[in-house]
Amino acid sequence: MFSVMGGTMKAPDFDYLRPATLDAAIALLASSDGDAMPLAGGQSLMPMMNFRVASPSALIDLADLAELRGISRDGSSIRIGAMTRYAELAASAEVMAALPLFGMALPHIAHDAIRNRGTLGGTIALGDPAAEMPALALALGAKIELAGPDGTRVIDADEFYLGYYETARAPDELIVAIHYPVALSDHRFGFHELTQRHGDYALAGAVVARTAQGHRVAFFGVADRPLRLPALEQALNTNPDVQSALHHLSAIAFTGDVKASAATRQRLAAVALTRALQGMTQ
Amino acid sequence: MTRTVAIDLTVNGERITASVPSRLNLVDFLRNDLGLTGSHVGCEHGVCGACTLTVDGVAVRGCLMLAAQANGCTVTTVEGLSDQGLSTALQAAFTKRNALQCGFCTPGMLASALAYVNAGGTDDRDAIRAHISGNYCRCTGYQAVVEAICDTIKEART
Ligand SMILES: Cc1cc2nc3c(=O)[nH]c(=O)nc-3n(C[C@H](O)[C@H](O)[C@H](O)COP(=O)(O)OP(=O)(O)OC[C@H]3O[C@@H](n4cnc5c(N)ncnc54)[C@H](O)[C@@H]3O)c2cc1C
Ligand code: FES
Ligand code: FES
């Protein structure tokens, strides 16, 4: 995750604010000139502050914002409030039925104690390139609902991840909810990730959604952001044999770091995709 | 502005009110302000599990939660585990199986294990290992810990 810079492991000082409404929270963010940060489950933000990778002047705790809670189904789409915790997702029969990929991915995200606090909105907002949920959002064609000083907007997950921990969210905007298309009976899903230990961030992972429109394939852990490869999806649509599609992986600018070289990651991505396709839901 | 925060919470059955620095994390508050040194602090970034404790009935990392966020919450540390479901049986099994040596990981290990057994976790060793994979132990090699959790589950069934 982050490298230790030596010295202190304590967070720098900040104001702790706990607004009661979404409007109040946005007003606080807007008046801080980008120095304040939203606090959701804190499962990434607290380590970032302890390592002093983040040093916000204020934390705006989203805990009391009713607007960011709740799971509701509206016809062919399911809306999940940003403050919904991983553990709540796993415990929701509605989510498990509407989004089979969530059941496949959630056990791979960290550990129980972290899933009890971490939220969907937090992981979507953070955009960790190795995180599962941003890749699921891409594979499923999710939409992200943002609220800011000028009102609400909805943006496609495809347009949201711009670079290394960089998203289309403005500093004074909050993610309110994420909208996902509900799985139909003819949809099929696959998920596979390769890690050093259970619960670790993935060295490479692949998420596949197959619908009447064809394949959507998202990768995580491989590059500076979660991504799809339209050419590879097209290849799978015309020939389901994964071997014929793997050469498209070379379009990815693979990450090379202490855990795995770029060449290793390319191989692992091929393995993850192959296994995700082998393990598609029936 | 608000660099101290007033909090009101329940710790091991006792109501506590305090004024805390906003940056103080929960495990430091418990250890340094309340003298509850049973919860340990290892990595301070969520990886080692030594600080795992119970908040509102679920296991959390004490180093990844601010004391301010615990306002209104019910916190249980290893010192207050005695009446939490299978905790007495679990602690006895840890002793019997030698599932602790230096004991540094033990309070967090117990909190994680207790969440597993109280939630009706199975005695499948792989499932137990996956569950405690977020709690590092540098002494036991985990085998004894897995056995202790297994014993507790089997005994609870009989
Ligand atoms: C040991 C360990 C292992 C982990 N392993 C994994 C893993 O395998 N896979 C994985 O995906 N994650 C992993 N995580 C990270 C975890 O998933 C985090 O919970 C998640 O990334 C952030 O969610 P959060 O609610 O805790 O957000 P926070 O940490 O509170 O916030 C994260 C960021 O998002 C912003 N933010 C939060 N909510 C909103 C919102 N509604 N609107 C706008 N901005 C917002 C915050 O300002 C911050 O910048 C791990 C964490 C730890 C400590
Ligand atoms: S000290 Fe909290 S997980 Fe290591
Ligand atoms: S008993 Fe020493 S670290 Fe686990």
Side-chain angles (χ1 to χ4, degrees):
Chain A
M1 201 154 62
F2 313 103
S3 58
V4 186
M5 307 304 276
T8 178
M9 277 302 296
K10 302 294 178 194
D13 214 0
F14 51 80
D15 294 324
Y16 173 82
L17 303 163
R18 197 157 167 168
T21 66
L22 177 59
D23 285 347
I26 290 166
L28 284 170
L29 282 175
S31 66
S32 83
D33 286 334
D35 287 341
M37 287 176 89
L39 173 67
Q43 302 303 291
S44 287
L45 191 48
M46 290 280 291
M48 285 157 69
M49 290 193 304
N50 288 349
F51 283 128
R52 307 213 166 191
V53 177
S55 44
S57 61
L59 287 186
I60 316 294
D61 192 340
L62 309 180
D64 294 338
L65 306 185
E67 297 93 331
L68 271 55
R69 294 203 181 267
I71 297 167
S72 56
R73 190 155 158 188
D74 168 21
S76 60
S77 145
I78 184 165
R79 177 185 189 276
I80 305 179
M83 282 298 283
T84 308
R85 301 189 195 282
Y86 293 124
E88 293 171 318
L89 294 170
S92 162
E94 197 170 19
V95 171
M96 290 300 113
L99 304 169
L101 274 173
F102 274 45
M104 299 160 88
L106 279 166
H108 297 275
I109 301 176
H111 313 282
D112 262 29
I114 289 151
R115 292 194 293 262
N116 284 334
R117 299 283 305 164
T119 67
L120 180 63
T123 183
I124 292 290
L126 184 66
D128 189 310
E132 288 81 355
M133 283 299 164
L136 259 64
L138 293 181
L140 288 168
K143 293 183 188 303
I144 296 160
E145 181 184 336
L146 296 156
D150 303 326
T152 303
R153 64 180 177 128
V154 175
I155 178 169
D156 282 342
D158 277 326
E159 315 289 319
F160 192 69
Y161 295 105
L162 305 178
Y164 189 61
Y165 289 99
E166 192 192 334
T167 70
R169 181 182 77 87
D172 57 2
E173 283 183 310
L174 284 174
I175 296 181
V176 177
I178 300 97
H179 302 251
Y180 297 89
V182 171
L184 303 179
S185 57
D186 64 337
H187 293 179
R188 298 290 177 269
F189 303 97
F191 177 93
H192 194 86
E193 70 172 56
L194 295 151
T195 56
Q196 287 173 320
R197 273 185 316 252
H198 182 91
D200 277 6
Y201 280 98
L203 295 173
V207 191
V208 182
R210 192 168 68 218
T211 68
Q213 280 74 50
H215 290 80
R216 287 177 72 101
V217 182
F219 293 93
F220 56 101
V222 297
D224 66 343
R225 73 195 87 169
L227 53 88
R228 288 172 57 208
L229 288 178
L232 180 141
E233 293 174 350
Q234 229 18 93
L236 287 174
N237 291 344
T238 38
N239 179 355
D241 177 12
V242 63
Q243 292 305 324
S244 67
L246 288 180
H247 66 274
H248 291 290
L249 285 175
S250 48
I252 298 177
F254 282 95
T255 304
D257 59 22
V258 285
K259 286 186 179 169
S261 68
T264 302
R265 274 208 169 75
Q266 178 159 354
R267 299 208 42 144
L268 295 180
V271 172
L273 175 61
T274 306
R275 292 188 186 166
L277 287 165
Q278 280 165 354
M280 295 290 278
T281 51
Q282 296 299 314
Chain B
M1 241 161 91
T2 13
R3 303 217 158 180
T4 57
V5 183
I7 56 171
D8 182 339
L9 67 166
T10 303
V11 180
N12 297 338
E14 200 181 320
R15 175 138 180 228
I16 309 277
T17 54
S19 177
V20 295
S22 52
R23 60 190 281 218
L24 185 68
N25 68 36
L26 179 59
V27 68
D28 285 344
F29 170 69
L30 296 167
R31 289 175 55 84
N32 302 339
D33 296 26
L34 302 188
L36 294 169
T37 54
S39 306
H40 292 160
V41 179
C43 66
E44 294 189 74
H45 63 283
V47 172
C48 75
C51 65
T52 307
L53 42 84
T54 309
V55 175
D56 291 342
V58 299
V60 308
R61 295 288 202 244
C63 72
L64 296 188
M65 186 167 173
L66 296 170
Q69 288 176 289
N71 185 36
C73 292
T74 298
V75 177
T76 307
T77 68
V78 70
E79 289 92 343
L81 272 189
S82 53
D83 53 346
Q84 301 279 310
L86 289 168
S87 84
T88 311
L90 186 66
Q91 292 183 54
F94 264 60
T95 311
K96 181 163 157 246
R97 287 286 188 175
N98 277 328
L100 60 151
Q101 289 176 31
C102 79
F104 190 82
C105 69
T106 311
M109 196 67 91
L110 284 171
S112 288
L114 195 60
Y116 181 81
V117 298
N118 283 348
T122 70
D123 62 1
D124 174 63
R125 282 177 170 68
D126 288 339
I128 294 173
R129 278 184 183 277
H131 183 84
I132 60 166
S133 65
N135 290 79
Y136 289 6
C137 175
R138 294 284 97 128
C139 302
T140 64
Y142 302 100
Q143 190 60 28
V145 177
V146 174
E147 296 300 340
I149 296 170
C150 230
D151 284 0
T152 310
I153 293 165
K154 284 186 180 147
E155 276 161 29
R157 250 197 247 132
T158 55

